[in-house]
C-alpha cells in the first residue's frame, strides 16, 4: 500500500508492505472512515527515496478509482487480471487475417498519398517540361538578335506566335500529368523570361520592337494556351489514365476454414 500525503506544493509517498491480506483490509477499513480516496495502481516502486514517487503514482496510466468494500481482493484481483489480459493482447502476434487487413490499409494510404501528389501542378510538370522555357528563351534571344542585325522583320508576328504556340504544345505533351494551373504557369514564366530580351531602350530600335512583340504575345497568349491545354488533355487522356496509381480492390477477407472443403454429409460419385 502506498500512502501519498501532501502539504503545500510538496508531496511525499510512504510504502506499507503487507504479507497478510486481512491485515491490509484492516488498514483500508480505517482509511475508509477518513474519506481518503483510494486508487488501484499497476506501478511498483523500488526506490521510495526518489522525490518523484508521488507524481509517478498520480501519473499512472492504469490508475483506477476504487471503493473499499471490506475485502481488497474483490477489486484488486479483477483489476490485475484485466491488465495482464491487455498486455497479452498487445504482445500477441497478429493473425493472418489481421496482417492482410493491415496490408490492405497500407495500400489504401499509399494510394491516397499518390492521388494527393497528382493534385500538385508543380510536381506534375517534370524536368522535361521545364526545359521548354530555357529553349524558348534561347530562340527568343536569337530572334531579337536577328532583328537587331536586320535579318528579321521586328513587326512580323508569325515567328513569335509560332514560338509561343509550339512551346505551349510541347510543354503540355511533356508534363507528367496535366493540371489547369499549368496554363497560368506557362504564360507567366514565358512572359517573365521574355522581359530579359530587351537590348535597347529606344522604341524605334528593332531589338526593342521584337522583344516588345514577344512580350505582347506572351501576355495575350493565356486564352489560346487554355485551348491548347483542353485539346492536348483530350488527346493524352488515355496515357494519363494508364499512369494513374493503381487503386486497391475491395478488401477480401480470408475464407472461413470451417466452411471450406467437403462437409461430412456430402458424398462423391464417379
Amino acid at each position: 500500500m502506498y500512502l501519498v500525503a501532501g502539504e503545500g506544493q510538496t508531496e511525499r509517498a510512504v510504502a506499507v508492505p503487507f504479507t497478510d491480506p486481512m491485515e491490509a483490509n484492516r488498514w483500508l477499513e480505517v482509511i475508509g472512515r477518513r474519506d481518503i480516496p483510494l486508487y488501484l495502481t499497476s506501478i511498483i516502486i523500488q526506490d521510495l527515496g526518489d522525490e518523484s514517487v508521488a507524481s509517478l503514482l498520480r501519473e499512472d496510466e492504469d490508475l483506477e478509482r476504487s471503493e473499499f468494500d471490506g475485502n481488497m481482493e474483490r477489486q484488486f484481483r479483477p483489476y490485475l487480471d484485466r491488465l495482464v489480459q491487455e498486455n497479452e493482447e498487445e504482445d500477441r502476434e497478429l493473425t493472418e487475417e489481421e496482417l492482410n487487413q493491415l496490408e490492405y490499409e497500407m495500400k489504401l494510404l499509399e494510394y491516397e498519398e499518390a492521388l494527393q501528389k497528382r493534385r500538385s501542378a508543380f510536381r506534375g510538370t517534370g524536368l522535361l517540361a521545364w526545359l521548354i522555357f530555357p529553349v524558348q528563351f534561347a530562340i527568343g534571344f536569337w530572334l531579337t538578335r536577328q532583328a537587331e542585325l536586320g535579318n528579321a522583320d521586328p513587326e512580323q508576328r508569325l515567328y513569335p506566335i509560332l514560338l509561343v504556340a509550339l512551346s505551349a504544345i510541347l510543354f503540355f505533351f511533356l508534363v507528367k500529368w496535366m493540371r489547369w494551373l499549368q496554363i497560368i504557369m506557362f504564360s507567366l514564366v514565358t512572359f517573365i523570361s521574355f522581359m530579359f530580351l530587351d537590348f535597347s531602350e529606344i522604341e524605334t530600335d528593332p531589338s526593342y520592337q521584337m522583344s516588345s512583340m514577344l512580350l505582347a504575345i506572351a501576355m495575350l497568349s493565356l486564352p489560346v494556351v487554355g485551348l491548347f491545354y483542353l485539346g492536348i488533355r483530350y488527346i493524352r487522356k488515355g496515357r494519363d489514365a494508364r499512369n494513374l496509381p493503381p487503386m486497391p480492390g475491395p478488401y477480401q477477407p480470408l475464407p472461413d476454414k470451417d466452411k471450406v472443403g467437403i462437409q461430412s454429409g456430402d458424398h462423391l460419385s464417379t
Side-chain angles (χ1 to χ4, degrees):
M1 179 189 302
Y2 300 110
L3 302 177
V4 178
E7 183 177 355
Q9 298 295 327
T10 61
E11 286 185 326
R12 182 185 175 191
V14 177
V16 182
F18 294 102
T19 56
D20 183 4
M22 297 304 298
E23 185 181 356
N25 288 334
R26 287 194 291 271
W27 271 71
L28 291 171
E29 186 177 358
V30 173
I31 292 174
R33 295 176 190 159
R34 299 175 178 269
D35 296 326
I36 297 175
L38 301 177
Y39 297 90
L40 300 175
T41 180
S42 63
I43 292 180
I44 299 176
I45 304 298
Q46 302 293 341
D47 182 12
L48 282 171
D50 190 345
E51 296 180 355
S52 63
V53 168
S55 61
L56 285 175
L57 290 170
R58 293 189 183 279
E59 295 171 2
D60 179 14
E61 294 181 354
D62 300 316
L63 200 66
E64 184 177 299
R65 184 67 185 269
S66 175
E67 297 291 339
F68 180 66
D69 61 356
N71 187 350
M72 68 171 187
E73 287 289 325
R74 277 197 288 266
Q75 286 186 307
F76 182 72
R77 184 56 56 189
Y79 167 78
L80 187 61
D81 291 341
R82 187 174 66 254
L83 292 182
V84 172
Q85 183 179 0
E86 290 175 355
N87 290 332
E88 289 178 350
E89 290 179 354
E90 291 178 358
D91 295 338
R92 71 177 178 85
E93 293 184 0
L94 295 177
T95 64
E96 186 178 357
E97 174 70 19
E98 290 171 331
L99 286 172
N100 288 339
Q101 185 171 1
L102 183 61
E103 183 180 1
Y104 177 75
E105 291 173 357
M106 292 297 296
K107 289 180 179 179
L108 277 181
L109 182 60
E110 292 174 356
Y111 173 73
E112 292 171 358
E113 290 177 350
L115 285 184
Q116 186 66 30
K117 290 180 180 179
R118 299 276 299 196
R119 297 188 180 99
S120 172
F122 290 96
R123 287 182 176 178
T125 300
L127 179 60
L128 287 177
W130 284 114
L131 290 176
I132 291 295
F133 296 109
V135 174
Q136 180 182 246
F137 175 83
I139 297 175
F141 182 90
W142 180 79
L143 286 175
T144 307
R145 177 64 67 182
Q146 292 301 309
E148 184 182 32
L149 297 175
N151 297 329
D153 184 0
E155 297 182 359
Q156 174 62 256
R157 300 179 183 178
L158 177 61
Y159 295 127
I161 290 175
L162 286 176
L163 173 61
V164 175
L166 293 175
S167 298
I169 292 171
L170 286 174
F171 176 78
F172 291 128
F173 269 116
L174 292 175
V175 293
K176 293 191 292 186
W177 58 78
M178 299 184 71
R179 304 297 298 176
W180 67 267
L181 186 60
Q182 291 166 343
I183 301 172
I184 300 175
M185 286 171 50
F186 175 83
S187 298
L188 183 62
V189 175
T190 297
F191 179 80
I192 293 174
S193 65
F194 285 167
M195 290 178 64
F196 297 94
L197 293 176
D198 188 12
F199 297 151
S200 174
E201 298 181 357
I202 303 174
E203 295 184 3
T204 56
D205 194 300
S207 64
Y208 181 93
Q209 294 175 348
M210 178 62 77
S211 62
S212 299
M213 180 70 68
L214 289 167
L215 278 173
I217 292 173
M219 185 170 54
L220 299 173
S221 67
L222 189 61
V224 179
V225 172
L227 292 176
F228 288 153
Y229 174 87
L230 295 175
I232 296 172
R233 181 165 188 157
Y234 177 79
I235 293 172
R236 58 177 285 176
K237 65 179 181 178
R239 185 184 100 184
D240 289 347
R242 289 191 299 270
N243 290 334
L244 282 173
M247 181 179 180
Y251 176 69
Q252 298 291 339
L254 292 176
D256 190 347
K257 295 181 179 179
D258 295 335
K259 298 180 180 179
V260 176
I262 302 173
Q263 296 181 2
S264 58
D266 293 341
H267 298 279
L268 292 177
S269 61
T270 58

